[in-house]
Amino acid sequence: MTVENDASGITILRKAESVMTLLEKVGEASATEIAAAVHEPVSSTYRLLGSLSALGWVDQTATRGRYRLGLHILRIGALLEDRLDVRRAILPVLESVRDRTRNTAFLCFRRGDNAVCVERLGGRDVQDLAMRVGDSYPLYRGAAPRAILSFLPEADREELLARATELRKQGERVPDPGIMRDQIGMAREAGFTVSDADVTPGIMAFGAPIYNHRGDLAGAISLSGLRERILAPESNTADEVLEAARRSSEALGYPAAKEAVA
């Protein structure tokens, strides 16, 4: 019975995919046109379109009986495109700072109460296996995640800290909110965060926020390496990550970054 249900579910998803692909190509179509294009009876196509409409995946147009991709799907597509554009725009900056400092460079985006690594350029001196592309860390752990947390809008930041407090009460391994607030205050004053072996023993990292053309927090970058090398007198990792963050924001059209260059 489970196998049959799974097969039925996959069949429905495939039909939905056919409808979505068609609407992506033609813009809008009637239920009859959709049924003919995807080789399904009109009656079952109407039922499928009703389900997709309820999910926000398709919308009816002003002309009765015609359908187009829903706003929900379009928003997801726009968000994905924005993030791909961010990665593409910032990659040259990350490559430059990685080559210059020999440290590992990261780019992270926020995903709920976590930060997900979307780009990682390995350093020349050490190959740290922590935070690989696709890995997700809580916003209170690691330099780039804490940079996102520290520079979130105040309301978002307070909501996240409140949730962290509840998790701590439930026995989860969450830092004391008072300590997190102190770290946030220091980060906002300095413009960067510091992660001292709290992800990987012997590894230290600096992180800084990046902003898009609307002035919104787009994510964060970080540089990590061996602790003794990061702390060496000749090292200027904090300045490097701040400059890389400024250049990244500039690449995304952040007005303040452009004014700073002018």
Side-chain angles (χ1 to χ4, degrees):
M1 181 66 70
T2 301
V3 173
E4 291 178 357
N5 288 339
D6 288 346
S8 176
I10 291 173
T11 299
I12 293 172
L13 287 174
R14 284 175 176 163
K15 292 178 181 179
E17 179 188 21
S18 297
V19 172
M20 307 291 284
T21 301
L22 172 67
L23 292 178
E24 180 187 9
K25 290 180 179 178
V26 302
E28 64 177 63
S30 69
T32 302
E33 292 168 340
I34 294 170
V38 300
H39 309 293
E40 290 291 330
V42 175
S43 58
S44 60
T45 299
Y46 267 116
R47 289 195 296 272
L48 179 58
L49 288 168
S51 297
L52 294 176
S53 295
L55 292 170
W57 290 12
V58 302
D59 289 334
Q60 288 198 49
T61 69
T63 303
R64 184 176 176 82
R66 296 186 69 79
Y67 296 83
R68 64 189 174 199
L69 289 178
L71 289 177
H72 180 63
I73 289 294
L74 295 176
R75 289 192 189 102
I76 292 174
L79 178 61
L80 177 60
E81 185 176 1
D82 282 349
R83 292 192 168 186
L84 289 174
D85 286 344
V86 168
R87 179 187 171 278
R88 191 179 303 115
I90 292 175
L91 186 57
V93 178
L94 293 181
E95 290 173 337
S96 175
V97 71
R98 185 276 310 271
D99 292 344
R100 188 167 57 255
T101 66
R102 305 175 71 87
N103 293 320
T104 301
F106 299 92
L107 170 63
C108 292
F109 292 149
R110 182 188 180 190
R111 185 170 62 194
D113 289 353
N114 296 300
V116 60
C117 177
V118 297
E119 188 58 78
R120 179 187 189 280
L121 302 179
R124 301 295 182 85
D125 296 336
V126 59
Q127 289 297 320
D128 177 19
L129 296 181
M131 195 182 279
R132 293 162 294 187
V133 172
D135 284 351
S136 178
Y137 282 74
L139 290 178
Y140 52 76
R141 186 179 179 214
R146 282 218 303 272
I148 294 174
L149 171 61
S150 299
F151 292 89
L152 281 173
E154 184 178 4
D156 291 349
R157 194 168 64 243
E158 289 302 319
E159 287 179 4
L160 190 145
L161 289 172
R163 289 193 293 272
T165 300
E166 287 303 313
L167 289 174
R168 185 176 171 85
K169 289 178 180 178
Q170 296 168 17
E172 298 287 339
R173 296 182 61 184
V174 178
D176 182 273
I179 294 176
M180 284 197 280
R181 288 183 186 279
D182 289 342
Q183 291 174 336
I184 289 169
M186 289 186 289
R188 292 181 68 84
E189 182 176 349
F192 60 85
T193 57
V194 181
S195 170
D196 192 354
D198 69 334
V199 175
T200 304
I203 299 296
M204 192 171 189
F206 285 74
I210 56 175
Y211 298 90
N212 63 24
H213 64 283
R214 296 184 296 269
D216 299 328
L217 182 68
I221 62 172
S222 65
L223 294 172
S224 75
L226 291 172
R227 189 176 189 276
E228 57 267 28
R229 213 169 72 76
I230 293 285
L231 292 176
E234 67 275 12
S235 174
N236 59 344
T237 309
D239 291 338
E240 288 283 1
V241 79
L242 283 172
E243 175 62 13
R246 185 195 65 76
R247 290 178 57 206
S248 297
S249 297
E250 179 186 355
L252 299 180
Y254 181 47
K258 290 183 177 180
E259 291 169 5
V261 175

